[in-house]
Amino acid sequence: MKSPLDRRSFLRLASATAAFLAQKGNSQTVPPAGPAPRAGRAPVRGKKNFVGIQVRGFAWVDEGVDQVLDNIQKKGEVNTVWAYTFAYGEQRLRTGAGFPDHGTPLGPNNTGINAGALYDYDQKFFTNTSLRDFRLTGYGKFNVIEAVATKAHARGMDFFAWDLNNPSPTLAHTAPSYAELGEIDLNGHRTTNPCFNNPHFRAYLSGKIESLLIGYPDLVDGIAWGCERMGPLDYMMTGGGSVTCFCQFCQAKARDLGISVPRAQAGYHELTQLLRATSDQVPDGYFTTFWRILLKYPEILSWESLWTDSFQEAQTELYSLGKAIAPLKPFGFHLMQNMTFSPFYRAEEDYTKRRTYADFFKIATYNNAGGPRMAAYLTGLSRGILHDAKPEDFLALYYKIMNYNEAPFDKLASSGLSPDYVAKETKRALIGVAGQVQIYPGIDIDVPVLGANAGGAENKRTHPDDVKHALEAAFVAGANGVVLSREYVEMWLANLTSAGDTLREIFAQQANKA
């Protein structure tokens, strides 16, 4: 891929990049200002009729690069490969546990969980972080960028680096320094979740973007970045999760913002005690007592905002870096499905603010798995701040405030969510971004059920018609493209084929109307 920049533009871009990196290097604990409004930026280059698919590292190794590309392009109409360039912890599927009709099942010789980079990188991009050695070795010397991108380009397909940064206890075995970046919980214990205010973690995340866009300028066509995490209060509302982070960097940031660390800790301690109390110990009810604690300790909400702001500031920084290096290459974000379930987390994932630092959003609108997942979330609420009631008691109110019209609670896991759920979440995102960001709904193709009832026969399973109806709903709602989800390695080929057949019909209809 040749650079579209002339010499003067290149020098100007190089100067801007140097200034940005100098700013980052001089003050790593203070995130840079957000990028300029989208209207002031060059339009990025992306595929028309965008169809992406997420592909795990072991798929290329087990099935062969050409076979995988054949399947996703010819059966699924995919034109943009989302290849994992970083594995936070992946393992082959077990036979009989959702294993589809392709691939290699987990066996006695391939039982390991692999974490780390699936590509070779220059150490110079990681000089400002303690986390430097994280190359995945479970697949030998396999380099997913070099092995896949050239062959994808030869087929007219784009190659996106899918950089998913979920917490990775496995990575701590490969790179011991990773454990040192963990958040500190309410009791002073280090967790396995790295802290977004830790300068070493921020430099590591930035180094990965540099190593992809600078290290592979002709092979990597875009960045898809993700991390499925929430703030401490979001987790506590459903009765789980650790209260974090109280490391030195978070405490220093809190003090700069005028937030009392001791009062935040005291408030979260009381909230923890409430959620562990029995009903006879809470005479005024759980929700009333929860609200009373918030009134007594507004620092609880301040700490939640501190965590969320830090999380989103890190993403702003990475987007700014990506645009400084390669302004025409798409850089976007995966938004986890809980954003569509939780009214509290939805409030924090504000499209009107996030649209200023993204080229696209892949929203996880997995409607089949969404039924069991939503049921699990509602059950969590009934164990947490809505402990006074059962999910059946507040389901109608929940549907009303979330603008859903889905199945009764006892049928939710077995029926899944309707295509209307996909359409409504797509429309909501499009309204929120106001044309500044491309919206790519994640279309459920055999997404496994995690949480309550996982693996149970009563849970909704994907059928070809489900895929067809979800795709139709997304595009009728105005989607700019789609990402076939969750992973190619989980998909039955009949369902992948249904996606391709439906997409060809939709694109043909769009062309006729044009």
Side-chain angles (χ1 to χ4, degrees):
M1 181 186 299
K2 294 184 179 179
S3 172
L5 304 176
D6 58 22
R7 184 174 183 275
R8 177 175 295 180
S9 298
F10 173 77
L11 292 174
R12 189 163 58 242
L13 175 60
S15 297
T17 303
F20 176 82
L21 295 176
Q23 177 188 15
K24 183 168 77 78
N26 291 335
S27 182
Q28 294 190 52
T29 59
V30 180
R38 291 285 305 139
R41 293 183 171 273
V44 300
R45 293 181 169 180
K47 289 288 186 185
K48 182 182 178 182
N49 296 335
F50 185 99
V51 181
I53 193 169
Q54 301 167 182
V55 184
R56 286 280 185 184
F58 58 82
W60 311 106
V61 175
D62 293 348
E63 298 183 44
V65 173
D66 290 316
Q67 182 62 61
V68 173
L69 291 175
D70 273 347
N71 281 345
I72 64 177
Q73 185 177 42
K74 295 177 181 179
K75 298 182 186 300
E77 195 64 9
V78 170
N79 57 33
T80 306
V81 180
W82 282 34
Y84 278 82
T85 49
F86 175 80
Y88 65 90
E90 65 178 30
Q91 187 180 47
R92 291 171 175 86
L93 305 180
R94 297 178 184 275
T95 302
F99 186 76
D101 51 351
H102 61 94
T104 301
L106 185 69
N109 297 322
N110 56 19
T111 57
I113 299 177
N114 293 298
L118 285 92
Y119 65 99
D120 300 321
Y121 55 86
D122 195 321
Q123 290 276 353
K124 69 182 181 182
F125 298 118
F126 301 93
T127 56
N128 293 327
T129 175
S130 60
L131 190 55
R132 301 185 183 93
D133 298 314
F134 53 93
R135 179 64 164 95
L136 186 150
T137 59
Y139 311 137
K141 295 182 179 181
F142 177 73
N143 182 324
V144 68
I145 300 175
E146 293 179 348
V148 177
T150 300
K151 290 188 174 184
H153 290 163
R155 296 166 176 257
M157 307 170 77
D158 279 350
F159 178 95
F160 277 25
W162 176 210
D163 187 19
L164 184 57
N165 294 275
N166 285 358
S168 176
T170 304
L171 189 60
H173 300 296
T174 305
S177 56
Y178 180 84
E180 299 171 4
L181 310 181
E183 292 182 323
I184 304 298
D185 69 13
L186 191 59
N187 299 312
H189 301 141
R190 190 174 298 280
T191 72
T192 57
N193 302 340
C195 175
F196 284 99
N197 284 319
N198 188 307
H200 287 277
F201 185 55
R202 291 279 274 263
Y204 157 72
L205 294 175
S206 296
K208 286 204 290 180
I209 300 303
E210 292 172 330
S211 68
L212 291 166
L213 293 178
I214 298 175
Y216 296 90
D218 297 325
L219 296 179
V220 174
D221 301 304
I223 301 288
W225 193 94
C227 182
E228 298 182 318
R229 292 174 61 185
M230 302 183 296
L233 185 57
D234 273 318
Y235 285 113
M236 293 199 75
M237 286 180 179
T238 53
S242 298
V243 179
T244 58
C245 169
F246 294 94
C247 73
Q248 58 176 315
F249 305 109
C250 289
Q251 292 199 34
K253 187 172 186 177
R255 287 190 289 268
D256 289 342
L257 294 170
I259 302 172
S260 169
V261 176
R263 282 188 55 80
Q265 292 172 320
Y268 274 107
H269 272 299
E270 282 202 24
L271 193 53
T272 300
Q273 292 171 358
L274 167 66
L275 297 178
R276 292 175 179 173
T278 58
S279 298
D280 60 331
Q281 295 174 317
V282 190
D284 286 335
Y286 287 86
F287 187 79
T288 297
T289 308
F290 165 73
W291 188 253
R292 182 177 292 151
I293 294 172
L294 288 186
L295 293 174
K296 181 180 178 181
Y297 294 103
E299 291 83 3
I300 291 174
L301 287 173
S302 297
W303 207 265
E304 174 73 8
S305 294
L306 185 152
W307 192 98
T308 301
D309 290 346
S310 300
F311 178 46
Q312 295 180 0
E313 284 166 2
Q315 295 173 63
T316 305
E317 178 179 321
L318 296 174
Y319 177 77
S320 299
L321 176 60
K323 294 288 99 177
I325 298 170
L328 301 183
K329 293 184 177 182
F331 193 125
F333 298 90
H334 159 82
L335 302 180
M336 71 174 178
Q337 191 165 16
N338 208 49
M339 180 267 294
T340 74
F341 295 159
S342 168
F344 311 105
Y345 188 52
R346 175 183 285 192
E348 297 177 3
E349 289 286 0
D350 185 349
Y351 284 120
T352 65
K353 294 181 179 179
R354 295 208 56 171
R355 69 191 183 194
T356 62
Y357 60 91
D359 296 322
F360 64 84
F361 289 130
K362 177 239 167 172
I363 54 176
T365 50
Y366 310 152
N367 59 310
N368 299 305
R373 288 183 177 192
M374 181 180 284
Y377 174 74
L378 296 173
T379 300
L381 282 178
S382 71
R383 295 194 190 108
I385 62 170
L386 300 183
H387 195 68
D388 308 292
K390 296 179 180 179
E392 298 89 329
D393 300 327
F394 56 80
L395 183 66
L397 174 62
Y398 172 79
Y399 280 164
K400 189 70 174 179
I401 64 177
M402 299 298 285
N403 190 30
Y404 293 150
N405 183 21
E406 299 296 335
F409 184 76
D410 62 347
K411 299 290 194 303
L412 194 53
S414 60
S415 63
L417 301 180
S418 66
D420 184 60
Y421 159 80
V422 179
K424 285 181 175 177
E425 285 301 318
T426 301
K427 288 179 181 177
R428 186 171 70 85
L430 288 166
I431 292 170
V433 302
Q436 297 183 34
V437 177
Q438 299 287 289
I439 296 300
Y440 304 146
I443 302 300
D444 186 334
I445 304 182
D446 301 300
V447 175
V449 176
L450 306 176
N453 301 323
E458 72 275 18
N459 288 326
K460 171 66 177 174
R461 299 300 181 192
T462 307
H463 297 282
D465 282 348
D466 296 323
V467 179
K468 176 181 175 66
H469 296 324
L471 283 166
E472 290 172 340
F475 280 103
V476 168
N480 304 115
V482 292
V483 179
L484 305 183
S485 303
R486 199 181 58 168
E487 317 283 0
Y488 164 75
V489 297
E490 299 164 346
M491 300 175 185
W492 287 79
L493 294 180
N495 292 328
L496 180 61
T497 300
S498 178
D501 291 343
T502 304
L503 288 165
R504 281 184 283 271
E505 291 175 5
I506 290 172
F507 296 150
Q509 292 170 1
Q510 291 177 344
N512 290 335
K513 290 180 180 179

